[in-house]
Amino acid sequence: MNSKAYTGRTLITEIIMVLVALLFLSPFYFLFVNSVKTFGEIMTNSATWPAVFQWENFSRAWSLTNFPLVFTNSLIVTVVSVILVAIISAMGAYRMVRHNTRFNRIFFLILIASMVVPFQSIMMPLLRVVNELGLTNTRTGLVMTYLGLGGPMALFLFHGFVKSIPLEIEEAATVDGCNRISVFFRIVLPMLKPMLMTIIVLNCLWVWNDYLLPSLILQSPNLRTIPLATFSFFGEYSKQWDLALPMLVMGIAPIIIFFLFLQRYIVEGIAAGSVKG
Amino acid sequence: MRNRNFAKELGLQSFFVGPVLIFFTLIMVVPFFLGMYYSLTDWNGVARSVNWVGLQNFKTIFTNDPDFWKSFSFTVRFTVLGVILTNVVGFALAYLLTRALKLRNLMRTIFFMPNVIGGLLLGFIFQFIFIKGFDTMYDITGWSFFGLPWLGDATTGFWGITMVFIWHQAGYLMVIYIASLTNVPTEILEAAEIDGASRWQLLRSIIIPLIMPAVTICLFLAISWAFKIFDLNLSLTRGGPFKSTESVAMNIYNEAFQNNRYGLGTAKAMLFFVIVAFITIIQVRLTKKREVEA
């Protein structure tokens, strides 16, 4: 698909695309410049560069939201959920490919079918289940829910990937006396690494940004994740843009940094994950 | 010997598949069937006792729930427009960024970046842009586009959500289209060019048919995002003004958690599931038919 020479036409395309890219970036510009303005300046002119940089906005929002706490909460929930989703679905997919019994085939079909079910359709009874298990308002309850919701998609992606791994390597290891569990953890899991990265990265974006589920399971302010804290902060200080905007900047900064560092995996993961479909 | 083997296989099966099976059953299967049951009751979410009401909830939805149908109409209109526009924008970006542009990697990063922000925070950011940012832009440019009462009435609320949705999701579709476009064999395109095909003909008769698998996926994803929209809806307009921008997902949420009518809410949720499943199956069938091999 690559054209050969850099012609005048390519230059025009390039210029147009740069303009479109600037348009795409403009919301970030508005957000950042206004987050360091005084309230008065935001009100009178929200488009210009700040006359004075009011960094104090950030320190106020930082302490009002108890940002270190909510950041840690988000981090714990995301890391634990994502690692567990990746491991249990890799294990399941491995077994289901290598041991293709009727039970496993039917279970696989059910998992695929379940991906059509919208979260709202199970939301209310799910809360009842979490409640019956005594896990309302706990991180365990939240993480457990992510395992159930994220499992099908992850398992589906691993399933396709495991199929492409040649059986001979595992057989050689079995002959050398490895049992099936250590074959998986020492030989198969490392070979799953590309798909593992994809699944980790995609699930990180999902869990980190999720609002609805944590809002239903976690009530205690001490457990709040970034989206929950932002929501309640916005309720309290809506229209106080000199506090709300720095909060939003702090809220999106971690995930943007994560993206800029890992974008290769994110982009490859999306492309790889979608081709299978 | 056979028994020992069986026990061993059962152990391995439970070890490997057990965790997924348990969590999937607890989190998806049990609530799904419970939901079917609750949709036939007057459950209010709190009381232990629930009364069987048969199809009463569904009757209420179909005969006496204008708000639900209002939200349904909003969701359908939003989905149609949102799906078309995100795909057009996503494809256009991908098409132009597969040219030999100097800054193309940087631009791919920029176009994808909005996608990593969660819908909730995004809605809040755009509340500011629509309310304050557009106001200032109006003062500077005088364009009436910026002077509209953004998010203040049904029309601008609808277009506001649609615009933010495109900004949020087009980059994701762009990535899929780029992956697909780079797989289009150059020889075919060159052969067609030698035969005198115009750029438009190349696009219409060669490129688009060859990337139909990507189109299937992108339509599938966009439909599912748009039809189930909730976070962005909640933070940008809260369904307002006067419920004019309330999505079905939000209507279900409000029925349960604001009106405390869980029975009616689950009935709507089941109906929602049936509609989503139906659309998904139809759409995948239709576009799969149009896929061709290179």
Side-chain angles (χ1 to χ4, degrees):
Chain A
M1 265 302 286
N2 292 331
S3 324
K4 316 96 221 168
Y6 198 86
T7 57
R9 214 169 154 163
T10 324
L11 181 68
I12 293 169
T13 315
E14 180 117 38
I15 292 169
I16 293 172
M17 289 307 276
V18 168
L19 292 177
V20 178
L22 289 176
L23 183 70
F24 257 67
L25 283 176
S26 60
F28 290 109
Y29 169 79
F30 272 95
L31 177 64
F32 289 122
V33 296
N34 288 297
S35 68
V36 287
K37 285 180 187 172
T38 60
F39 186 73
E41 201 188 345
I42 297 174
M43 282 299 131
T44 48
N45 194 343
S46 63
T48 50
W49 198 247
V52 262
F53 282 79
Q54 177 103 347
W55 293 109
E56 201 192 305
N57 291 353
F58 275 88
S59 52
R60 279 168 70 210
W62 177 279
S63 52
L64 278 171
T65 49
N66 202 349
F67 194 74
L69 176 75
V70 294
F71 176 80
T72 316
N73 289 340
S74 274
L75 200 63
I76 293 173
V77 169
T78 308
V79 170
V80 176
S81 313
V82 168
I83 289 177
L84 289 179
V85 166
I87 290 179
I88 68 168
S89 47
M91 283 164 54
Y94 169 68
R95 174 76 183 175
M96 286 159 83
V97 171
R98 291 291 183 248
H99 200 76
N100 194 10
T101 56
R102 183 158 14 139
F103 177 85
N104 283 343
R105 276 197 300 271
I106 294 174
F107 182 42
F108 185 62
L109 288 179
I110 296 175
L111 285 173
I112 292 178
S114 78
M115 287 194 261
V116 183
V117 179
F119 174 69
Q120 272 77 13
S121 298
I122 54 160
M123 170 174 77
M124 291 157 264
L126 172 65
L127 291 183
R128 173 89 195 259
V129 171
V130 173
N131 197 23
E132 292 290 327
L133 293 169
L135 294 172
T136 307
N137 205 14
T138 62
R139 286 200 193 104
T140 316
L142 183 61
V143 168
M144 193 185 81
T145 315
Y146 281 128
L147 297 187
L149 294 175
M153 181 67 182
L155 194 140
F156 171 70
L157 291 174
F158 276 129
H159 198 272
F161 198 83
V162 172
K163 274 193 206 157
S164 67
I165 294 180
L167 200 59
E168 289 79 35
I169 304 171
E170 288 163 50
E171 278 165 354
T174 321
V175 172
D176 290 345
C178 268
N179 70 30
R180 306 261 277 279
I181 292 176
S182 55
V183 166
F184 173 76
F185 283 102
R186 298 198 359 221
I187 298 178
V188 179
L189 200 57
M191 286 196 289
L192 292 178
K193 205 187 146 214
M195 189 47 84
L196 203 60
M197 283 306 289
T198 300
I199 284 165
I200 288 177
V201 162
L202 293 182
N203 279 298
C204 274
L205 294 180
W206 166 50
V207 175
W208 182 272
N209 286 327
D210 192 24
Y211 165 76
L212 182 53
L213 183 61
S215 82
L216 296 172
I217 292 186
L218 306 175
Q219 281 108 35
S220 156
N222 293 327
L223 294 176
R224 270 184 199 151
T225 58
I226 290 179
L228 298 188
T230 311
F231 189 79
S232 79
F233 192 74
F234 229 80
E236 230 171 302
Y237 301 96
S238 66
K239 310 295 176 246
Q240 286 205 44
W241 296 114
D242 53 336
L243 285 175
L245 294 178
M247 173 63 200
L248 289 173
V249 173
M250 294 187 315
I252 65 170
I255 198 77
I256 299 255
I257 293 167
F258 175 83
F259 162 67
L260 292 177
F261 276 101
L262 292 176
Q263 64 164 311
R264 192 169 71 89
Y265 292 102
I266 298 178
V267 168
E268 280 173 9
I270 291 169
S274 66
V275 177
K276 293 277 152 56
Chain B
M1 190 62 202
R2 264 186 81 182
N3 268 340
R4 253 188 65 199
N5 236 338
F6 179 76
K8 193 183 155 202
E9 285 301 330
L10 189 69
L12 284 171
Q13 172 81 9
S14 330
F15 177 79
F16 280 107
V17 183
V20 177
L21 185 65
I22 291 171
F23 291 117
F24 177 72
T25 309
L26 270 177
I27 302 304
M28 300 280 296
V29 181
V30 171
F32 185 74
F33 287 104
L34 264 181
M36 280 182 164
Y37 164 68
Y38 281 135
S39 67
L40 303 169
T41 68
D42 66 352
W43 185 35
N44 67 5
V46 190
R48 286 259 150 192
S49 66
V50 291
N51 300 311
W52 181 265
V53 295
L55 293 173
Q56 187 56 47
N57 289 326
F58 292 95
K59 221 171 124 189
T60 311
I61 296 170
F62 282 104
T63 58
N64 194 18
D65 197 344
D67 282 347
F68 179 76
W69 295 106
K70 199 169 160 185
S71 72
F72 186 74
S73 142
F74 166 79
T75 309
V76 170
R77 281 181 288 131
F78 168 72
T79 303
V80 170
L81 204 68
V83 167
I84 294 173
L85 292 177
T86 41
N87 275 283
V88 168
V89 173
F91 177 78
L93 293 175
Y95 182 66
L96 294 170
L97 289 180
T98 41
R99 304 264 173 88
L101 302 183
K102 293 218 157 61
L103 294 171
R104 79 176 176 191
N105 287 332
L106 177 68
M107 287 194 278
R108 287 177 185 183
T109 304
I110 291 172
F111 291 125
F112 186 79
M113 197 157 64
N115 193 265
V116 302
I117 303 172
L120 188 91
L121 272 73
L122 202 65
F124 287 136
I125 294 171
F126 270 87
Q127 248 190 49
F128 177 74
I129 309 255
F130 280 126
I131 295 169
K132 277 311 302 170
F134 274 29
D135 215 33
T136 311
M137 291 310 287
Y138 180 65
D139 291 341
I140 296 173
T141 61
W143 294 352
S144 55
F145 171 80
F146 292 118
L148 296 170
W150 281 98
L151 308 183
D153 61 33
T155 319
T156 53
F158 177 82
W159 283 97
I161 294 180
T162 310
M163 277 159 56
V164 180
F165 181 75
I166 296 166
W167 187 75
H168 192 202
Q169 307 288 20
Y172 194 102
L173 302 185
M174 172 194 78
V175 168
I176 298 175
Y177 282 128
I178 286 177
S180 181
L181 283 170
T182 37
N183 283 333
V184 172
T186 332
E187 309 87 67
I188 301 185
L189 294 176
E190 278 166 0
E193 260 180 346
I194 292 168
D195 290 344
S198 69
R199 267 176 186 257
W200 173 246
Q201 281 171 324
L202 284 182
L203 184 66
R204 230 197 49 173
S205 314
I206 299 179
I207 297 175
I208 292 181
L210 283 177
I211 61 155
M212 274 322 266
V215 176
T216 306
I217 290 155
C218 288
L219 285 177
F220 174 82
L221 288 171
I223 290 175
S224 128
W225 294 330
F227 210 78
K228 295 188 238 174
I229 190 160
F230 179 83
D231 290 16
L232 177 63
N233 200 195
L234 179 72
S235 57
L236 194 64
T237 64
R238 277 220 170 191
F242 308 111
K243 300 198 174 211
S244 59
T245 59
E246 186 181 76
S247 67
V248 172
M250 200 169 184
N251 182 276
I252 294 171
Y253 177 89
N254 289 338
E255 194 64 71
F257 302 114
Q258 283 188 359
N259 305 342
N260 283 324
R261 287 189 293 214
Y262 280 56
L264 188 55
T266 39
K268 287 180 181 182
M270 284 296 144
L271 197 61
F272 187 47
F273 159 69
V274 172
I275 298 167
V276 169
F278 182 73
I279 296 174
T280 311
I281 291 165
I282 298 261
Q283 184 266 322
V284 172
R285 282 250 165 106
L286 280 181
T287 25
K288 278 261 178 209
K289 256 192 222 159
R290 311 197 53 180
E291 289 176 12
V292 292
E293 296 280 323

